[in-house]
Amino acid sequence: MLKRKLVFYRWASMAGRDTFDPFAVARRLTQEIAADSSYQMVDKDGVITAVEVVEPGGGADPVNFRVLALRGMEDRPFKWDPDSSIGPISLLSNEYPADATHISIWPDGYCAHDMGRYSPRLSRLSFFLRQRMREFVSFDPLYDEDAFRKLREMAGQFRSFDLAMTKPEYASRPRGTFGHLWPAVAGEELPSVRVSMGMGRYGPKDRYIDQHIEDELLTLAAQASDLLTGMVVRGRSKRTNRVEEVNLLTDRLSVDVDLPQRSDIPSTPEVSSVFYELEQAYKDFKRREVFETASTAELMRKE
């Protein structure tokens, strides 16, 4: 069995763009791939993404995608054994090492995917759709009640934060204040950058991060699937008067599941079992009205 976390998001059409219709997009992508199999791949600056339509959906049924992060020739892993050291992994010219995630998009504005250690994020799908199909959709992370409560209690009293941000062109929305960190800290050529800022452990206990930076942090949190590969914020709770910590990439609305492995590929789950579990988790959240209490950082920022 493979352990996976099923992570939920809210999706929406991008402002100023045509309405995103997941069913129409899935049908068009299926047709384009049938005519030319290379259509399902995008290779930009050595970052290769492929998208497969598993089920086009319709009515109340979700669109189901498989999204793959592929490794080009310069990024391919090699094999090793203790007797002969390292060696190449044999692949044909049209074959790639791949990591995959499975994504369900429901028509009512929610979506989810299975997250493993090496699973690509939803930003891969949004980037593919922009580049290949000129379709624009945003995926906003949902937080459980405990994470949302902690954020509200530390509002206005953020002490520090740690960020890991991906290459800016893969974001679907403006970067805001932190967009300046790429040229200033890492240069535009680097694919990612890590930043830590704060008052420091031994700094004044009544000093907090400026409000405009806190607002930008919460805006970034609402766009986490586009920009961030890591985000931890710390602040003093108005309720406990202690410094609390929220990991905005792990404290998500999610479900832990064990999935059966494919017999021929033990490192990947049976595709039918993934989409079955995604559907069951979605139905359970709907039944218990969990989506009504789950929140995005964008909603908190506007309170």
Side-chain angles (χ1 to χ4, degrees):
M1 302 292 280
L2 297 173
K3 294 186 180 299
R4 291 290 187 269
K5 186 181 291 290
L6 309 182
V7 186
F8 281 77
Y9 297 74
R10 181 180 288 114
W11 68 265
S13 302
M14 293 292 295
R17 301 286 184 174
D18 292 339
T19 300
F20 180 75
D21 183 341
F23 301 141
V25 168
R27 289 194 297 269
R28 180 157 68 92
L29 180 56
T30 299
Q31 294 169 356
E32 296 286 1
I33 293 172
D36 179 4
S37 62
S38 66
Y39 193 87
Q40 64 192 314
M41 293 176 56
V42 168
D43 182 352
K44 187 172 177 60
D45 298 333
V47 179
I48 310 172
T49 302
V51 175
E52 300 174 354
V53 180
V54 180
E55 294 173 332
D61 294 330
V63 174
N64 291 332
F65 292 107
R66 179 189 284 120
V67 176
L68 302 107
L70 308 180
R71 300 192 194 185
M73 187 64 68
E74 294 183 356
D75 297 320
R76 292 184 177 179
F78 44 80
K79 65 181 180 180
W80 177 87
D81 73 63
D83 296 321
S84 59
S85 189
I86 64 173
I89 295 176
S90 298
L91 292 170
L92 300 178
S93 60
N94 64 332
E95 296 178 332
Y96 298 83
D99 295 303
T101 191
H102 304 81
I103 302 173
S104 290
I105 301 179
W106 288 272
D108 61 354
Y110 295 101
C111 64
H113 74 126
D114 62 319
M115 176 64 75
R117 182 175 299 177
Y118 303 109
S119 301
R121 298 182 183 277
L122 267 64
S123 54
R124 288 270 188 169
L125 177 59
S126 58
F127 179 72
F128 174 92
L129 294 175
R130 292 197 308 274
Q131 294 292 315
R132 179 59 81 197
M133 306 184 70
R134 304 304 297 167
E135 295 282 351
F136 295 81
V137 59
S138 64
F139 297 107
D140 293 332
L142 294 168
Y143 298 99
D144 61 31
E145 287 185 276
D146 186 57
F148 186 62
R149 175 185 58 78
K150 286 183 179 180
L151 283 173
R152 291 183 62 178
E153 290 172 354
M154 68 174 69
Q157 298 186 165
F158 280 24
R159 291 280 298 173
S160 65
F161 61 88
D162 301 319
L163 298 180
M165 298 175 283
T166 191
K167 195 168 185 177
E169 67 185 64
Y170 297 105
S172 61
R173 286 168 288 196
R175 290 174 276 164
T177 298
F178 289 95
H180 300 296
L181 288 175
W182 276 276
V185 178
E188 291 288 355
E189 298 304 316
L190 292 182
S192 62
V193 63
R194 291 182 179 273
V195 178
S196 295
M197 294 184 180
M199 296 298 110
R201 181 178 298 178
Y202 303 106
K205 303 301 183 183
D206 59 348
R207 288 285 304 279
Y208 304 107
I209 290 172
D210 289 347
Q211 187 62 51
H212 78 278
I213 296 180
E214 179 178 317
D215 289 343
E216 287 292 339
L217 284 169
L218 293 174
T219 298
L220 276 174
Q223 301 172 3
S225 63
D226 287 324
L227 277 171
L228 303 178
T229 56
M231 184 175 187
V232 176
V233 297
R234 303 173 190 86
R236 188 170 301 281
S237 169
K238 298 181 180 70
R239 181 175 60 87
T240 66
N241 201 35
R242 296 195 302 266
V243 173
E244 304 279 357
E245 177 178 292
V246 178
N247 187 323
L248 290 167
L249 259 68
T250 61
D251 297 341
R252 299 283 186 83
L253 181 63
S254 61
V255 177
D256 293 318
V257 295
D258 292 319
L259 299 171
Q261 300 158 281
R262 277 183 54 165
S263 58
D264 57 335
I265 313 176
S267 60
T268 194
E270 288 282 355
V271 64
S272 60
S273 69
V274 179
F275 290 120
Y276 173 80
E277 293 294 345
L278 287 169
E279 179 75 8
Q280 295 308 302
Y282 166 79
K283 289 179 176 178
D284 179 59
F285 285 159
K286 292 284 283 188
R287 179 182 58 80
R288 295 190 289 117
E289 299 183 342
V290 172
F291 291 130
E292 282 70 18
T293 59
S295 304
T296 66
E298 180 69 12
L299 290 177
M300 189 201 129
R301 189 177 69 87
K302 292 180 178 178
E303 285 195 344

